[in-house]
Amino acid sequence: MGSLGAVLRHPDDLYPLLKLKMASRQAEKQIPPEPHWAFCYSMLHKVSRSFALVIQQLGTDLRNAVCIFYLVLRALDTVEDDTSIPTDVKVPILIAFHRHVYDREWHFSCGTKEYKVLMDQFHHVSTAFLELGKGYQDAIEDITKRMGAGMAKFICKEVESIYDYDEYCYYVAGLVGLGLSKLFYASGTEDLAPDSLSNSMGLFLQKTNIIRDYLEDINEIPKCRMFWPREIWSKYVNKLEDLKYVENSDKAVQCLNDMVTNALMHVEDCLKYMSALRDHAIFRFCAIPQIMAIGTLALCYNNIEVFRGVVKMRRGLTAKVIDRTNNMTDVYLAFYDFSNILKPKINKNDPNATKTLSRVEAIQKACMDSGVLNKRKSYIIQSELRYSSTMIVIFFIILAIIFSYLSSTRAKDHHHL
Ligand code: D61
Ligand code: MG
């Protein structure tokens, strides 16, 4: 019912939502026949809310490699994230994980829900991994090795300085960027991107996650996880968890804005990385998560709700991003629009107001300098009044019926699985 309300408030979300629904049903139908590949692709759909659909659109060879790359790292991350595993058990697993990938007998039970299934049935992932080309295998092994070692390092070490924060994000996400650039290059369609730009692609996504997931991570049971660097939060509170208490709301929002400003530093690199891509599927695969990230930051900026619950872009807006992201013009428009949403939220009294404003203006300048911005008015806010209002109402009612029918059958499908 919540979704119907959202669609009523944003009627032009409806078409992209339907299109997305169709595409994800289509993707679910295209599960390969071999049991290990079937496991991998159905797992991908279950564990990755946002990446599955964009991975699905890549060409076969690259798609298989990226799917396995994702699942191997997701399994590694499940070990890292499980706070119930004692350190002396966890560290050796993280460090040796890149070797376990070659061993069809290996498995380690941890995590919960779909992550537990991934860990328990990891042999399917190993089996599929061993069928990839040598070039893909080597790239995946190399990144898994470096990420595992980096995660192990941070199990016993807190994120103190901004330098530590960038280093941690490099291990868990920057390296994914480096690995993906290598896979794109190996697939023959792209040049090899500079490491620093690939790293920025990962850092921008990871920092957005860390900002958005503050409450979830601090409330993690049995042990909380803290990724916000002390160098930033200590300017506002004495303990990181103090940010969630109502009496510290003003400080919390200032700290949040400081974190968002820090993340915005990576945007120009990301734009540069994306502008060098040639393949349409690879381009969409890279650009859609980046646009979602700037959208999420615009939503989180100056928003106390980050400390109260989950702040997420509405599904209709996500669907629009997926539908409308096809070339660099779309990306510049999206970054321009979302920074325009953030800009008026900057409060003159915020300690970092000047810094944030200059970041936002630098991003807008980068988008402007591309010279494509006047061609279309807006990316997100396209108020099309081409049809008469009566037509819209009729059309909308019909689509709403189809939509609620589709969501009810989908809900049924899920219960029967
Ligand atoms: C282009 C396109 C996609 C890119 C990219 C460039 C560069 C980097 C990335 C994707 C990775 C961005 C990761 C951001 C989300 N963060 C997490 O999932 C955290 O875990 C990090 C370690 C595991 C990384 C697994 C991964 C993620 C995305 C991929 C991929 C592998 C392989 C291929 C494509 C995309 C986070 O997870 C918990 C959660 O948020 O659910 C955490 O533990 O901090
Ligand atoms: Mg993790």
Side-chain angles (χ1 to χ4, degrees):
M1 234 26 234
S3 61
L4 194 60
V7 171
L8 277 166
R9 258 173 283 126
H10 307 272
D12 61 334
D13 283 7
L14 192 59
Y15 171 72
L17 269 173
L18 283 170
K19 209 166 153 184
L20 180 63
K21 205 133 239 177
M22 302 295 193
S24 67
R25 293 188 135 203
Q26 197 58 31
E28 276 169 40
K29 267 193 242 149
Q30 284 170 344
I31 301 278
E34 304 90 339
H36 51 292
W37 285 107
F39 175 85
C40 290
Y41 278 100
S42 65
M43 210 62 225
L44 180 68
H45 283 109
K46 285 187 196 117
V47 294
S48 142
R49 297 157 293 284
S50 41
F51 288 113
L53 212 92
V54 280
I55 292 178
Q56 201 71 40
Q57 293 172 3
L58 297 167
T60 317
D61 272 11
L62 181 60
R63 182 180 66 205
N64 287 341
V66 173
C67 173
I68 300 307
F69 188 41
Y70 182 86
L71 292 176
V72 167
L73 298 181
R74 184 51 66 211
L76 178 70
D77 183 53
T78 304
V79 178
E80 190 217 13
D81 288 353
D82 189 330
T83 50
S84 70
I85 309 169
T87 305
D88 59 319
V89 177
K90 191 186 278 195
V91 168
I93 297 175
L94 293 175
I95 290 174
F97 206 88
H98 66 104
R99 284 189 270 114
H100 300 325
V101 180
Y102 289 92
D103 179 2
R104 258 180 269 221
E105 309 293 300
W106 183 87
H107 75 106
F108 177 77
S109 194
C110 65
T112 56
K113 292 180 268 178
E114 59 273 28
Y115 300 96
K116 185 169 164 36
V117 181
L118 171 66
M119 297 313 291
D120 286 339
Q121 313 253 35
F122 194 74
H123 65 275
H124 287 309
V125 181
S126 312
T127 306
F129 171 80
L130 291 165
E131 285 177 15
L132 296 175
K134 180 87 166 55
Y136 290 137
Q137 284 182 2
D138 289 348
I140 294 172
E141 181 190 352
D142 174 56
I143 298 299
T144 308
K145 185 177 175 179
R146 291 155 74 186
M147 189 183 292
M151 284 173 165
K153 179 175 173 182
F154 275 89
I155 292 295
C156 324
K157 182 178 144 69
E158 274 196 25
V159 181
E160 297 272 352
S161 60
I162 294 174
Y163 180 89
D164 293 342
Y165 180 50
D166 281 16
E167 189 187 19
Y168 176 75
C169 293
Y170 161 76
Y171 289 133
V172 301
L175 281 172
V176 180
L178 266 62
L180 285 171
S181 295
K182 221 170 180 181
L183 298 180
F184 299 160
Y185 179 66
S187 81
T189 42
E190 301 290 348
D191 294 334
L192 186 59
D195 284 356
S196 69
L197 298 187
S198 306
N199 180 44
S200 295
M201 290 288 283
L203 259 58
F204 187 57
L205 300 180
Q206 184 64 19
K207 288 184 174 182
T208 302
N209 261 21
I210 287 177
I211 293 168
R212 189 200 56 195
D213 295 342
Y214 165 84
L215 195 66
E216 198 183 294
D217 292 332
I218 205 95
N219 289 340
E220 182 71 38
I221 295 166
K223 230 173 92 208
C224 72
R225 310 243 21 214
M226 302 191 282
F227 301 112
W228 290 34
R230 179 189 296 271
E231 190 177 339
I232 292 182
W233 61 254
S234 63
K235 288 189 266 174
Y236 307 95
V237 280
N238 295 323
K239 285 195 294 214
L240 182 59
E241 63 177 79
D242 290 347
L243 294 174
K244 71 176 174 182
Y245 303 120
V246 186
E247 62 267 30
N248 299 326
S249 292
D250 289 346
K251 289 291 173 195
V253 166
Q254 290 174 1
C255 183
L256 168 65
N257 296 347
D258 202 336
M259 291 288 289
V260 172
T261 308
N262 170 285
L264 290 175
M265 305 255 284
H266 304 290
V267 169
E268 281 118 303
D269 272 2
C270 295
L271 292 173
K272 203 182 280 174
Y273 180 98
M274 290 183 277
S275 67
L277 296 171
R278 299 206 184 96
D279 181 87
H280 181 248
I282 293 178
F283 177 80
R284 274 172 52 81
F285 168 72
C286 293
I288 290 166
Q290 295 290 322
I291 296 176
M292 300 291 295
I294 183 93
T296 303
L297 291 179
L299 194 63
C300 288
Y301 185 83
N302 215 35
N303 185 351
I304 189 67
E305 287 306 311
V306 172
F307 303 96
R308 307 281 177 263
V310 200
V311 176
K312 259 187 150 182
M313 269 169 51
R314 60 170 210 276
R315 258 184 68 75
L317 192 48
T318 304
K320 260 189 203 172
V321 170
I322 294 172
D323 186 47
R324 294 182 185 171
T325 304
N326 285 301
N327 53 50
M328 235 11 235
T329 304
D330 302 327
V331 170
Y332 291 128
L333 278 163
F335 273 78
Y336 192 87
D337 273 5
F338 281 119
S339 26
N340 246 350
I341 290 177
L342 196 154
K343 209 172 171 180
K345 297 213 265 169
I346 303 173
N347 181 328
K348 275 197 301 295
N349 302 320
D350 187 282
N352 294 290
T354 316
K355 204 171 162 194
T356 311
L357 192 63
S358 80
R359 282 282 73 235
V360 169
E361 281 172 349
I363 293 166
Q364 296 198 316
K365 184 177 182 308
C367 295
M368 276 296 195
D369 288 351
S370 70
V372 297
L373 234 53
N374 312 326
K375 287 187 186 155
R376 252 181 290 153
K377 274 202 198 77
S378 160
Y379 177 84
I380 325 155
I381 319 121
Q382 281 184 337
S383 36
E384 306 119 317
L385 290 167
R386 271 170 280 165
Y387 309 98
S388 79
S389 50
T390 334
M391 273 298 286
I392 292 178
V393 171
I394 294 168
F395 178 70
F396 175 65
I397 290 171
I398 295 168
L399 287 185
I401 293 167
I402 299 169
F403 179 69
S404 51
Y405 165 76
L406 280 177
S407 26
S408 72
T409 50
R410 229 177 105 70
K412 263 188 241 150
D413 287 350
H414 273 285
H415 287 301
H416 287 292
L417 269 177

